[in-house]
Amino acid sequence: MDALIAVWETFFDFDAMRVALPDLLTVGLPNTLILAVSSGIVGTVLGMLLAVAGLSRRRWLRWPARVYTDVLRGLPAAVTILLIGVGFAPIGLMVWGPNPYPFGILALGLIAGAYIGEIFRSGIQSVDVGQTEAARAIGFSGGAAMRLVIIPQGVRRVLPALVNQLIALIKDSSLIYFLGLLSSQRELFRIGQDAAANTGNQSALVLAGLFYLVITIPLTHVVNAIDKRLREGRRVDAVDPAEADDFDEEMDSIAGQESVR
């Protein structure tokens, strides 16, 4: 019984949680979201470029994209973060001072780009080739067909996987602590770890883990809802006829412009 009480007090000391809560809310949570969202934007843009380059018929575009993807997916995330964050630290000190966030965001974005690029590439390749032929038949150029027809369909098919990658970024943001953080720069994990190290009690770290769950579990349900909606589709009787007519007119207009070109 004493052992169980000791374990409970080690992980669920509510006084220790209460002490760590303000820093987790006002410092750790905003910093974690900044890291995840910023690196997610970088990774998404880079991933789309890698996907298009990886599908190109030009070797000078295709092979660098594939080599980049293989290397960044093969390296541990901590190694990439340290190589970029520590290796380029002197440049960062001269430009923006002792703030590891820019290089941390860059490193996370580069890692995410390699994974997101493969997600986009698989989505684009899953679109039936007949879609391209149909777009060309109504006057679209090859580039316009890819940009306006193929890529939107491919992205829609991989939205759940894309959100899953964002969830992974939220968790990987904890690795930024390798670069050394000031008190105001700490994210959720670092605050929980510091409190646990100072008190010898793991309750603050457990509370930090609960914060991660509060962020990631709703996103997981969003992924499931998106996946269900994409698999079931939209009810036909729910489509506004006027909306459908406007869409047809817009597509005819785009096709006409491409034909003129």
Side-chain angles (χ1 to χ4, degrees):
M1 182 62 69
D2 291 340
L4 292 176
I5 293 175
V7 170
W8 177 267
E9 291 178 348
T10 298
F11 293 101
F12 299 100
D13 185 337
F14 296 109
D15 289 334
M17 290 183 177
R18 193 178 305 113
V19 171
L21 182 60
D23 282 343
L24 288 170
L25 275 175
T26 60
V27 179
L29 182 60
N31 285 337
T32 295
L33 293 178
I34 289 171
L35 287 169
V37 173
S38 300
S39 58
I41 293 172
V42 173
T44 301
V45 174
L46 177 60
M48 179 57 70
L49 295 176
L50 288 171
V52 174
L55 294 171
S56 174
R57 296 179 180 179
R58 298 179 176 87
R59 290 185 178 181
W60 62 273
L61 282 175
R62 186 173 66 251
W63 284 107
R66 293 184 177 179
V67 169
Y68 174 92
T69 299
D70 289 342
V71 171
L72 267 294
R73 292 177 70 189
L75 287 174
V79 172
T80 303
I81 291 171
L82 285 172
L83 287 175
I84 294 175
V86 176
F88 294 99
I91 298 175
L93 286 173
M94 291 187 295
V95 177
W96 55 71
N99 185 355
Y101 270 36
F103 284 133
I105 290 171
L106 175 62
L108 289 174
L110 293 177
I111 297 168
Y115 289 93
I116 293 175
E118 286 298 285
I119 292 172
F120 281 149
R121 187 166 70 89
S122 65
I124 293 171
Q125 287 182 317
S126 70
V127 179
D128 190 87
V129 67
Q131 296 287 326
T132 303
E133 296 173 353
R136 297 298 299 272
I138 62 174
F140 284 87
S141 65
M146 176 65 74
R147 186 175 69 254
L148 299 174
V149 179
I150 306 303
I151 289 179
Q153 292 187 62
V155 171
R156 181 183 177 186
R157 295 183 181 189
V158 298
L159 277 178
L162 197 58
V163 179
N164 280 330
Q165 187 59 43
L166 176 60
I167 292 174
L169 275 176
I170 293 172
K171 294 182 288 186
D172 286 346
S173 65
S174 62
L175 298 174
I176 297 299
Y177 87 93
F178 284 126
L179 302 181
L181 301 171
L182 300 177
S183 179
S184 61
Q185 297 168 343
R186 295 177 300 168
E187 32 66 50
L188 289 171
F189 170 75
R190 187 61 182 182
I191 290 175
Q193 186 190 47
D194 286 348
N198 292 333
T199 62
N201 188 285
Q202 303 301 312
S203 300
L205 195 56
V206 171
L207 184 59
L210 292 177
F211 270 86
Y212 282 110
L213 293 178
V214 168
I215 299 172
T216 57
I217 288 178
L219 282 175
T220 302
H221 288 289
V222 168
V223 171
N224 294 335
I226 292 173
D227 186 49
K228 181 179 179 181
R229 178 65 180 271
L230 293 179
R231 282 187 286 104
E232 295 181 353
R234 186 179 180 184
R235 290 177 53 187
V236 176
D237 57 1
V239 178
D240 186 353
E243 181 181 339
D245 291 341
D246 291 341
F247 177 78
D248 291 339
E249 291 176 2
E250 182 179 352
M251 294 303 293
D252 290 342
S253 175
I254 294 174
Q257 293 174 6
E258 292 296 331
S259 297
V260 171
R261 293 178 186 174

